[in-house]
Amino acid sequence: MGLIVGTAFILFIMVAFAGTAQETVVRSPVVTTENIEVVSDFPDFQRKTSTEETDTYYFSISTILTKSEPINQYIQMWTEKERDQFLAFVEKNKRNFHEEHLAKLHITVHLNAVTDDLHTLTFNVKNKKTEPRDGIKIFNLDLTENKILSLIDVFHLEDSNLVGFCSIIKEYIPDASSQGERLEELFKRPDQINWQINQNVFTLFLKDHDPFIKVEVPVERLRPYLTENMMTRLKLAPPEELESTLDPNGKYIALTFDDGPSPAVTPRILETLKQHQAKATFFMIGNRVQYYPELAKQVAEEGNEIGNHSGSHANLSQLSEAQIWQEIVGTNQIIEGVIGHSPVCFRPPYGVYNPLVEKVASENNAQIILWSVDSLDWQERNAEGVNKIVQETIFPGSIVLLHDIHPSTADALPTLMTELENQGYQFVTVSELLTLQGVSGIGPYYGVSN
Ligand code: ZN
């Protein structure tokens, strides 16, 4: 410490000497103080506050001392850099400052425990009457590994992940900010970013208009990008394994209805399901949910599951990653806006997907669900034909592809369900069926049991 005070003092002498050569004003000497105290509630940490005053400037710099020397040195480098920049500024503009008008620098620090060995230091820099440098600086301390955490210790930020990762962040940036545009560039230099994380929220402080904007993203949303180490360190529970309430020896099938909701057909199908006390899964198109939100809501309220069937029924394998993102995540958001939660099942239009679609789906915890029985209702367009095809190809554990846009499908359903019931089948949602198969997590499912 003596060294720092000494350096500052020498600097002062030089400044004073240079000044007195032309001026007759008698300068007061530099007055320094240094105070070290234990941080309340944190016995392992000390707060050190240094102040310095001359007749041109005043600064007060607080920092936190940990038991880790490498961490202390790293932080000290930063506080010294802030101080030196301030002093250089004062030196350059010293004519502007005098006892009545001191240049002032205040650096305060707040310590926060995330877990036993992860702590966050938030420095607030107030630099009045100099350049507009007010701001914050955050250090995330890893006291087990004796280092300052970098964002790449927390997230997998390889180039291939940046589109998805940044798309999620953008969802949480206020509309008024232009920061979304350059986010991907920003994350290519993650050490420039002020951030903090706890079990629930990842917080970013982006420079914008004065002084910064705070972006809070639920950690759960970013889980696909978290490093394993960070998951352990944050003590995040693994994704919930759904307990199955179904009888392991039961004959279950999942009826699925795609491309709706449609006011002409969906209500008729709901009526039949209700009569059979059955549940089904409706893979809805985002655009149509926007047209018929009440109908979508009714489908969910009657105990059925709503899945994502893209926003515009495009062939996703021909789209860019950003477009696929819009088709899948945009639709999740539309559905969430209507029924209060995001779908967990996703069926790509035409059953067509490629590795990019799989990647975007997995980054959004959307399971890709195809089908094991194709009713061909889109081709047959007559109730008897649909009935015949389904009954000839059905087996326990099937996922049956139907469409709630063809009246003939609604015509087929009462007989189909009655006859299947007579064979001992029970109708459940896709998610329920998957719990029976002991399958949860992320990936494509075809409904093929065993
Ligand atoms: Zn479709």
Side-chain angles (χ1 to χ4, degrees):
M1 252 340 88
L3 183 68
I4 296 168
V5 173
T7 312
F9 190 67
I10 290 165
L11 182 73
F12 164 73
I13 298 290
M14 290 164 62
V15 170
F17 189 74
T20 47
Q22 299 137 338
E23 292 165 30
T24 53
V25 181
V26 178
R27 297 202 160 217
S28 56
V30 59
V31 179
T32 64
T33 67
E34 190 175 289
N35 179 38
I36 297 182
E37 61 190 1
V38 172
V39 184
S40 50
D41 298 336
F42 294 94
D44 287 346
F45 296 84
Q46 294 176 308
R47 182 189 306 274
K48 189 181 91 174
T49 303
S50 314
T51 70
E52 186 168 308
E53 185 168 0
T54 70
D55 52 5
T56 51
Y57 67 84
Y58 169 83
F59 72 68
S60 163
I61 299 176
S62 288
T63 187
I64 296 288
L65 303 174
T66 73
K67 293 198 160 163
S68 160
E69 203 42 45
I71 289 180
N72 292 349
Q73 280 175 12
Y74 194 97
I75 295 170
Q76 186 181 332
M77 269 167 48
W78 177 79
T79 52
E80 286 178 1
K81 197 180 99 217
E82 287 296 307
R83 181 203 61 201
D84 292 347
Q85 282 177 351
F86 168 74
L87 292 175
F89 176 84
V90 174
E91 167 61 11
K92 210 168 125 197
N93 300 279
K94 60 180 181 236
R95 282 167 200 288
N96 300 335
F97 301 115
H98 49 80
E99 272 153 277
E100 308 290 296
H101 183 78
L102 293 178
K104 283 181 185 164
L105 171 68
H106 281 274
I107 298 182
T108 53
V109 63
H110 179 73
L111 172 65
N112 179 50
V114 178
T115 63
D116 288 346
D117 60 353
L118 292 180
H119 289 70
T120 305
L121 288 189
T122 307
F123 285 91
N124 273 287
V125 182
K126 291 224 175 296
N127 197 342
K128 288 285 176 246
K129 295 181 182 168
T130 62
E131 48 195 325
R133 283 182 42 80
D134 291 6
I136 60 162
K137 174 71 184 172
I138 295 175
F139 294 99
N140 294 282
L141 316 182
D142 180 338
L143 296 168
T144 299
E145 295 188 20
N146 279 338
K147 64 172 193 173
I148 308 282
L149 280 180
S150 159
L151 260 187
I152 56 174
D153 297 318
V154 180
F155 295 112
H156 293 290
L157 291 180
E158 296 81 21
D159 280 357
S160 60
N161 281 341
L162 277 185
V163 169
F165 184 84
C166 292
S167 298
I168 294 176
I169 306 280
K170 280 176 204 171
E171 287 172 29
Y172 296 87
I173 296 181
D175 287 346
S177 168
S178 59
Q179 292 306 300
E181 308 302 317
R182 53 181 203 96
L183 212 53
E184 278 160 50
E185 286 307 308
L186 202 64
F187 275 98
K188 286 182 181 162
R189 301 186 311 279
D191 288 330
Q192 312 278 315
I193 301 174
N194 279 306
W195 58 274
Q196 63 192 54
I197 191 166
N198 61 30
Q199 286 89 345
N200 303 312
V201 187
F202 172 64
T203 308
L204 267 180
F205 297 86
L206 296 179
K207 283 209 181 95
D208 200 9
H209 24 69
D210 191 31
F212 50 78
I213 52 166
K214 192 173 172 185
V215 183
E216 295 184 303
V217 186
V219 167
E220 206 45 51
R221 195 78 177 76
L222 295 167
R223 186 192 276 265
Y225 305 96
L226 272 179
T227 59
E228 265 94 81
N229 181 37
M230 206 55 201
M231 274 214 262
T232 316
R233 303 292 297 279
L234 287 174
K235 302 182 174 72
L236 288 183
E240 259 178 59
E241 291 280 331
L242 289 174
E243 283 273 324
S244 184
T245 53
L246 305 183
D247 171 4
N249 302 313
K251 271 173 96 176
Y252 298 102
I253 50 172
L255 300 180
T256 65
F257 297 93
D258 287 13
D259 298 357
S262 115
V265 180
T266 309
R268 292 181 56 201
I269 288 173
L270 287 179
E271 194 50 44
T272 308
L273 289 171
K274 225 192 287 180
Q275 281 165 8
H276 290 264
Q277 294 181 313
K279 288 190 236 163
T281 301
F282 291 75
F283 286 98
M284 295 188 178
I285 298 172
N287 288 345
R288 298 187 68 94
V289 176
Q290 276 181 315
Y291 281 129
Y292 309 113
E294 287 307 316
L295 189 51
K297 208 169 162 185
Q298 187 191 345
V299 169
E301 279 172 355
E302 295 187 6
N304 300 292
E305 176 173 26
I306 293 185
N308 179 334
H309 195 40
S310 85
S312 68
H313 211 272
N315 179 345
L316 300 185
S317 69
Q318 294 174 356
L319 302 185
S320 71
E321 187 173 355
Q323 289 169 319
I324 296 168
W325 193 276
Q326 183 50 39
E327 287 280 342
I328 297 179
V329 182
T331 301
N332 274 351
Q333 289 168 345
I334 291 168
I335 293 172
E336 184 173 0
V338 172
I339 65 169
H341 60 88
S342 194
V344 293
C345 294
F346 165 65
R347 176 173 286 167
Y350 318 104
V352 175
Y353 64 94
N354 62 12
L356 207 51
V357 174
E358 275 185 285
K359 177 172 172 289
V360 175
S362 105
E363 285 172 355
N364 289 285
N365 296 319
Q367 301 186 75
I368 294 181
I369 306 291
L370 298 188
W371 54 86
S372 39
V373 170
D374 187 347
S375 69
L376 297 176
D377 63 341
W378 51 277
Q379 191 180 310
E380 287 285 319
R381 305 289 180 96
N382 84 76
E384 266 173 54
V386 169
N387 257 324
K388 191 164 175 288
I389 291 168
V390 173
Q391 291 202 40
E392 280 174 0
T393 48
I394 197 93
F395 58 93
S398 301
I399 295 179
V400 184
L401 174 65
L402 295 148
H403 295 81
D404 56 333
I405 50 171
H406 307 307
S408 48
T409 300
D411 294 341
L413 206 58
T415 311
L416 180 65
M417 289 186 76
T418 304
E419 291 181 359
L420 290 175
E421 264 171 356
N422 290 342
Q423 297 167 37
Y425 283 108
Q426 290 175 266
F427 306 97
V428 295
T429 65
V430 167
S431 289
E432 286 172 323
L433 192 67
L434 293 180
T435 65
L436 190 64
Q437 295 182 332
V439 186
S440 83
I442 299 159
Y445 295 105
Y446 305 88
V448 180
S449 60
N450 307 316

